[in-house]
Amino acid sequence: SSELTQDPAVSVALGQTVRITCQGDSLRYYFASWYQQKPGQAPVIVIYGKDNRPSGIPDRFSGSGLGDTASLTITGAQAEDEADYFCNSRDTSGNHVVFGGGTKLTVL
Amino acid sequence: QVTLRASGPALVKPTQTLTLTCTFSGFSLSATGMSVSWIRQPPGKALEWLARIDWDDDKYYSTSLKTRLTISKDTSKNQVVLTMTNMDPVDTATYYCARIGDDYVTLLYYWGQGALVTVS
């Protein structure tokens, strides 16, 4: 079982805004990172730290957090955003990593 | 440019020991603050963190798997090796290695292409 909790599936209409959430005790102490994974590919980090995007990640991706919940927001979802999204953070010890179970995003 | 690549046998038998190698370039694991982790993903399932080794040879293991895992590094070869003993069909997964980010905080920033291992 995952120590971070995500909704298994979320859908969004093309061009609309969607929020994917991640909940867990470790998020009170550590920022979440968010990963996009398309079939047959390795995960790609899209958000890390407070709200940082690696180069090459569109600015429609943003991150936020409050208490034990972190959120990934896609503002103006595109067809190419359809993918699985995983969150992770350090665990409460700071030395291990915990993952969420993943959210399958469908763009309608 | 940071690159990582996981490699290992595609097929192992139950009870055997799996040895995986992460070969990387674009950085040195002897650099202060550097860290490489192993992660796995069973087909159609979630990611699971396995182990981590730091620049100073500190090692950390998944609590649930620590009795079966050993992580080591060969700085001269730019490799990190993970062994997992007593393999079982439930260990069938794609195994990835990943490096800490340039912020030295985000543990799994750069990812390599994974290696699919089937236990049968």
Side-chain angles (χ1 to χ4, degrees):
Chain A
S1 63
S2 305
E3 295 186 46
L4 297 177
T5 301
Q6 297 181 241
D7 290 330
V10 171
S11 61
V12 61
L14 184 67
Q16 296 303 300
T17 296
V18 62
R19 176 174 292 182
I20 299 170
T21 61
C22 174
Q23 186 175 23
D25 193 51
S26 61
L27 299 178
R28 298 183 184 278
Y29 310 101
Y30 298 100
F31 289 119
S33 297
W34 290 93
Y35 303 84
Q36 178 191 72
Q37 187 179 35
K38 296 182 178 180
Q41 298 182 17
V44 173
I45 192 165
V46 294
I47 292 290
Y48 66 99
K50 188 174 183 181
D51 179 22
N52 300 308
R53 280 176 292 105
S55 61
I57 301 301
D59 61 5
R60 62 179 178 271
F61 289 88
S62 63
S64 61
L66 182 65
D68 68 349
T69 300
S71 300
L72 171 70
T73 300
I74 307 174
T75 304
Q78 302 299 302
E80 61 264 32
D81 299 334
E82 187 162 288
D84 292 326
Y85 290 86
F86 293 93
C87 62
N88 79 2
S89 76
R90 293 183 184 235
D91 74 348
T92 51
S93 78
N95 292 320
H96 296 194
V97 175
V98 289
F99 278 98
T103 298
K104 182 175 182 61
L105 176 66
T106 300
V107 180
L108 303 172
Chain B
Q1 180 188 6
V2 174
T3 66
L4 306 99
R5 178 174 53 87
S7 61
L11 182 66
V12 298
K13 298 183 186 302
T15 75
Q16 286 187 335
T17 294
L18 170 68
T19 299
L20 294 165
T21 300
C22 175
T23 303
F24 56 84
S25 63
F27 66 97
S28 171
L29 194 43
S30 62
T32 302
M34 202 54 65
S35 177
V36 171
S37 290
W38 282 95
I39 308 98
R40 71 178 179 180
Q41 184 176 37
K45 295 189 177 180
L47 296 160
E48 178 183 21
W49 177 81
L50 301 176
R52 163 189 155 199
I53 189 164
D54 292 350
W55 62 282
D56 56 1
D57 213 37
D58 278 350
K59 301 165 186 175
Y60 305 92
Y61 297 100
S62 162
T63 302
S64 61
L65 292 168
K66 62 182 178 181
T67 60
R68 299 174 54 204
L69 297 174
T70 302
I71 192 170
S72 62
K73 61 182 173 70
D74 186 330
T75 304
S76 65
K77 292 183 178 179
N78 282 351
Q79 291 181 334
V80 172
V81 174
L82 182 76
T83 63
M84 180 180 292
T85 61
N86 194 24
M87 293 292 286
D88 183 271
V90 301
D91 297 312
T92 294
T94 298
Y95 288 77
Y96 297 98
C97 55
R99 200 210 87 170
I100 197 168
D102 298 330
D103 59 359
Y104 296 101
V105 173
T106 306
L107 283 174
L108 310 179
Y109 188 96
Y110 299 97
W111 290 64
Q113 285 304 312
L116 175 62
V117 178
T118 300
V119 184
S120 178

